[in-house]
Structures are given as C-alpha cells and as structure tokens.
Amino acid sequence: MYKYTDMKIKNNRLEALRLIISSQQLGSQDELLNALQKEGFKLTQATLSRDLKQLKVAKAATMGGNYVYVLPNETMYKRVSSPASVREMMRMSGFVSANFSGNIGVIKTRPGYASSIAWHIDNSDIPMILGTIAGDDTIFIVLKEGYTHQEVIDELNMRVPSLK
C-alpha cells in the first residue's frame, strides 16, 4: 500500500519525466535515467519502464532518422528550443495564453496540460462557459453571449488555480 508521500514522489517523478521528454530528444532508457538522476530522481530501469508504460510514451523517428521518446498526441514533436530546467518547469503552471474571437476562446498550454486544465474549467461550473474541447496543448472554450472576454478571464483566474 502506498503512503501519500510515496504517491507524491511518483507524481513528481512522472511530471519530471513528461517535462524531460517534451524538452529533450532522448533515445534510450539510460539517457532518460541520467536526465532524471540530474533532477534528483533515483530509480531503477524497471521502474522507468513502468513509468513509460503508464504515460503511454512511444518512440518516433525524428527528421534525422533517429528514434526518440515522445509523449502521446505529440505528433509534431513539440520541443522547446531553449528549455528551462525541469525544476523550473515544474514550478510553473501549464497555462501559456488565452485569446478570444467572438464567443470562442483559445487557451494555449504547455504540452500535455490542456486536458487537465479543461477538466478544471468544466468542473468549476462557470456560468459564462458552455463547454471546452481539449487537445494536447490547446483548449477551445465556448462562451455564452453577453459576457466580456475580461469577465471570463477574471472568472477563470478565480476558479482555476493553474491559470494564475
């Protein structure tokens, strides 16, 4: 049976693994283990294999013909050209930006964050939002008529902690 702290450590490790895979081109488990070790995570190859399976990580060919680990739905290999450290990225929320056109909003997130942020929006019962559709790093929100974009942003900031 897991203790709360064991689950917190695992969740932090999985988050670090997501951030490493989305910000670096690594092609072997040894490279992943080394990257995780640099961030303070000590684990066995067997644990890493289980983590990769849980995250549904796959290998995909790069333009150069090498095979690297990618997260699911990361078809365009969204990589950051000058990534922050994993520790810095873990302190940041997944939110990147929000823009509106009429009654449609587009929220951009870091890769892998859109579905959880959309879930928070949908479960916050915000009366001015009819619903959301989430991809990997983009959320479409449909707004009810009669509300300003600023009112929606203010409401989102109050109710969805990851948007602050």
Side-chain angles (χ1 to χ4, degrees):
M1 177 159 260
Y2 284 111
K3 293 186 241 163
Y4 172 73
T5 54
D6 292 339
M7 286 305 295
K8 186 173 180 183
I9 290 168
K10 180 178 181 183
N11 289 338
N12 286 343
R13 185 180 70 240
L14 292 174
E15 179 65 9
L17 189 54
R18 279 188 203 95
L19 293 169
I20 288 167
I21 290 169
S22 67
S23 66
Q24 300 176 42
Q25 291 192 358
L26 302 175
S28 74
Q29 287 192 5
D30 280 342
E31 290 174 325
L32 283 174
L33 282 170
N34 288 335
L36 284 165
Q37 220 168 24
K38 286 179 186 174
E39 297 300 328
F41 295 96
K42 304 214 183 315
L43 62 151
T44 64
Q45 184 273 327
T47 299
L48 177 60
S49 289
R50 285 189 295 273
D51 288 352
L52 292 173
K53 185 175 182 177
Q54 181 177 342
L55 294 175
K56 295 180 172 68
V57 170
K59 275 194 162 181
T62 64
M63 297 298 273
N66 298 323
Y67 284 86
V68 296
Y69 289 103
V70 293
L71 295 168
N73 300 324
E74 201 170 355
T75 55
M76 297 306 291
Y77 313 114
K78 300 171 194 85
R79 303 244 183 242
V80 181
S81 56
S82 57
S85 77
V86 171
R87 288 187 202 286
E88 290 171 321
M89 287 190 277
M90 286 179 74
R91 284 194 293 266
M92 298 176 354
S93 76
F95 174 77
V96 174
S97 66
N99 291 292
F100 298 90
S101 178
N103 74 326
I104 296 177
V106 177
I107 296 175
K108 298 300 272 175
T109 71
R110 293 192 357 239
Y113 280 77
S115 63
S116 67
I117 291 175
W119 182 88
H120 282 288
I121 292 170
D122 289 337
N123 287 287
S124 292
D125 295 321
I126 300 172
M128 56 193 64
I129 296 177
L130 293 173
T132 65
I133 300 173
D136 184 54
D137 65 355
T138 305
I139 303 167
F140 286 107
I141 60 173
V142 179
L143 313 175
K144 285 185 183 174
E145 293 183 24
Y147 293 98
T148 68
H149 298 157
Q150 190 58 51
E151 287 175 311
V152 174
I153 289 170
D154 291 344
E155 191 71 21
L156 285 170
N157 282 334
M158 281 186 350
R159 298 213 197 183
V160 183
S162 56
L163 292 183
K164 291 184 179 175

